[in-house]
Amino acid sequence: MAENKDVKLADELASDFQKLESEISKKIIGQPDVVRLLITSLFCNGHSLLVGVPGLAKTLLVQTVSKCLGLDFNRIQFTPDLMPSDILGAETLDKERNLRFIKGPVFSNVILADEINRTPPKTQSALLEAMQEGAVTIAGKNYSLDKPFFVLATQNPIEQEGTYPLPEAQLDRFMFMIKLDYPQYADEIEVIKRTTSQQTDEVSEVISKDKILMYQELVRKVPVADNVFEYTVNLVAKTRPNSEKADKIANEYLEWGAGPRAGQFLILAAKCNSLINGKYSPDIEDVKLVAAPVLRHRIVRNFKAEAEGITEEKIISDLL
C-alpha cells in the first residue's frame, strides 16, 4: 500500500462502497450487515452461504447487488432431480452432427444457488468444484468461468426433511455463512408499503467489472501487522478442542474446530473491512468484526452444547 496508485485506489474503494450501499438501499430495506458481508466476500474473491427463512428477499438482494456491480446474474433452483449438466452445461450434436458445448447457467458472474441442500451430493459437488477451480471440465475439455465469479448459496433452516446437508469439508469452501434475520419493525412497515404499491425503484451500475477485479487485487496487497496475524491464528487455534492452544470453551462444547482456511478468510475479510472503513491496514477489531460469519460454519458443536442450547455465536463471542 506504499504506492500512491494503490492508496488512491483504496480511497476509491471506500467511496464506491458508500455509493453501493446507497444504491442498494433503494431496493433493499435494512439488512446493512448482510449487504456489507456480501460485498466484502465479492471483493475478497470468496463465496457466501446465506441462511434464512423464506420470504426475506434473498433473490432480490442478490439481483440488486449484481445490477449495481454491472454483473451477469443467474438463479438456479436446486431440486432433488437436478443433474450436474443442468448447472455446468453439456455437449450436444448440432445440425452438422458435430459435438458442440452448450454452456449451463454457471457461466455467469453471480450465481444464486437457491436451497443448495435440496439437491444430491453429486450435483452439489459439481457447483462446489466450479467455485474452487474457477473452471469446469466437460468431456475432458476445460472451460474457464467468467471473472469475477461469485456464488451465493441459500439454505432454509426450517424444513430439513428430504435435504442433503453440505458436509463440513464443502461448507469450508464458503468464505462466510451469513444469517438473514426477520426485518426490524420499522423496516418491515417500509417493505410492505413499497411492495404493495406501484412504486418501482430502479438501481443503476455503480462499479464496472474491471474495477471489481482491480479491487480484488488491491485487497491482497493490503499490509497486515504481525500482531494481527498472531491474533488471528490464535483465535482459530482456540476453536480446536484438545489441542495445545484450545480454549476451555472449545474443550467443553466443540467436537471439531476451524481449519487453516478460516485464518486465511479472517485476514482477507479484515483487509477488505479496513479498506471499506477508509483505513489502509487492518487491526484486531477488523478481525473480530468478521469472526462470526467466518467461523460459525467451521466449528462443530458437541452433544453437550446442543443439549444446553449453546449456539455457535455464543461460543465465538466467548472466544473473542
Side-chain angles (χ1 to χ4, degrees):
M1 295 297 291
E3 295 180 25
N4 288 334
K5 188 174 73 172
D6 288 339
V7 171
K8 184 171 178 284
L9 194 59
D11 293 337
E12 284 178 27
L13 187 149
S15 172
D16 281 343
F17 178 77
Q18 299 294 332
K19 292 176 192 171
L20 263 176
E21 273 194 322
S22 174
E23 197 67 20
I24 290 168
S25 67
K26 290 180 182 178
K27 280 265 190 185
I28 305 298
I29 311 299
Q31 311 291 359
D33 293 338
V34 174
V35 171
R36 176 176 287 253
L37 288 172
L38 278 183
I39 297 168
T40 297
S41 61
L42 179 64
F43 285 170
C44 293
N45 198 19
H47 309 282
S48 290
L49 186 65
L50 193 58
V51 179
V53 298
L56 295 182
K58 294 187 286 287
T59 305
L60 180 63
L61 172 62
V62 184
Q63 279 179 328
T64 304
V65 170
S66 56
K67 272 186 185 175
C68 291
L69 295 168
L71 300 175
D72 297 326
F73 167 79
N74 269 332
R75 177 178 178 271
I76 307 170
Q77 181 65 53
F78 279 68
T79 55
D81 60 349
L82 198 73
M83 298 295 289
S85 57
D86 296 327
I87 298 170
L88 306 179
E91 286 193 328
T92 60
L93 286 171
D94 61 18
K95 290 178 183 178
E96 286 75 38
R97 301 190 66 77
N98 295 318
L99 279 173
R100 191 161 64 92
F101 177 61
I102 305 297
K103 291 181 176 181
V106 77
F107 286 87
S108 191
N109 299 122
V110 180
I111 306 294
L112 175 60
D114 221 351
E115 296 196 280
I116 192 172
N117 56 332
R118 293 232 172 265
T119 204
K122 186 178 181 180
T123 307
Q124 289 176 357
S125 62
L127 177 66
L128 292 163
E129 182 187 1
M131 287 164 51
Q132 187 76 4
E133 306 299 331
V136 299
T137 304
I138 305 290
K141 291 183 182 175
N142 191 266
Y143 299 90
S144 294
L145 298 170
D146 297 335
K147 291 182 180 180
F149 178 64
F150 174 58
V151 173
L152 180 75
T154 70
Q155 285 190 161
N156 178 354
I158 301 174
E159 294 176 302
Q160 294 304 321
E161 287 182 21
T163 62
Y164 305 84
L166 289 173
E168 265 67 34
Q170 293 181 352
L171 280 173
D172 196 43
R173 297 189 190 184
F174 289 96
M175 181 174 189
F176 292 141
M177 178 186 274
I178 305 170
K179 290 202 171 178
L180 194 59
D181 211 344
Y182 292 110
Q184 298 290 324
Y185 179 74
D187 290 339
E188 191 162 1
I189 289 175
E190 186 61 27
V191 168
I192 304 298
K193 279 182 180 178
R194 285 198 193 185
T195 54
T196 56
S197 70
Q198 290 184 312
Q199 180 180 348
T200 53
D201 295 304
E202 289 304 317
V203 295
S204 54
E205 183 181 325
V206 176
I207 307 177
S208 65
K209 280 187 191 181
D210 291 340
K211 203 76 175 285
I212 294 166
L213 294 173
M214 287 168 67
Y215 288 158
Q216 287 180 344
E217 280 185 32
L218 179 70
V219 167
R220 293 266 171 181
K221 291 181 182 178
V222 173
V224 181
D226 283 345
N227 71 310
V228 178
F229 278 122
E230 288 162 10
Y231 176 83
T232 301
V233 173
N234 274 320
L235 174 61
V236 175
K238 284 199 292 185
T239 69
R240 299 166 184 165
N242 305 314
S243 66
E244 185 186 344
K245 292 187 177 291
D247 192 276
K248 61 179 182 179
I249 294 163
N251 288 332
E252 189 173 1
Y253 292 120
L254 293 181
E255 192 81 35
W256 293 100
R261 199 176 270 155
Q264 294 169 346
F265 283 142
L266 280 168
I267 290 293
L268 280 174
K271 285 182 175 189
C272 187
N273 197 66
S274 68
L275 291 176
I276 283 169
N277 290 306
K279 298 184 296 182
Y280 302 125
S281 181
D283 54 28
I284 288 171
E285 281 306 309
D286 289 304
V287 177
K288 288 181 177 180
L289 282 169
V290 295
V294 170
L295 293 174
R296 63 164 61 108
H297 57 300
R298 292 186 165 87
I299 57 175
V300 181
R301 293 177 299 157
N302 59 20
F303 177 76
K304 184 180 181 185
E306 290 183 21
E308 294 181 16
I310 306 294
T311 63
E312 289 90 351
E313 281 75 14
K314 173 76 169 69
I315 293 167
I316 294 165
S317 175
D318 289 346
L319 290 173
L320 291 176

